[in-house]
Amino acid sequence: MSDAGDLIHPVILCGGSGTRLWPASRESFPKQFLPLAEPERSSFQATAARLGDP
């Protein structure tokens, strides 16, 4: 049986001011929320999906 101290808590780091991919990326809609690599989901969504149960 697993103890709560044995759990792994993933942290997704993302942030920035959205200047590198301007005008597509901007402060109110940063690049991690743009569908760049996959047309149907953002980089953030793809990362979160990889954290699901195997």
Side-chain angles (χ1 to χ4, degrees):
M1 189 147 190
S2 176
D3 184 274
D6 295 336
L7 296 177
I8 295 173
H9 299 280
V11 176
I12 301 172
L13 301 175
C14 59
S17 59
T19 58
R20 289 193 184 119
L21 293 176
W22 187 87
S25 174
R26 51 204 176 280
E27 190 171 345
S28 62
F29 198 64
K31 64 182 166 284
Q32 61 268 20
F33 299 118
L34 295 174
L36 298 173
E38 301 177 40
E40 66 277 356
R41 61 185 180 179
S42 69
S43 299
F44 181 82
Q45 290 170 315
T47 300
R50 289 192 298 270
L51 299 174
D53 292 332

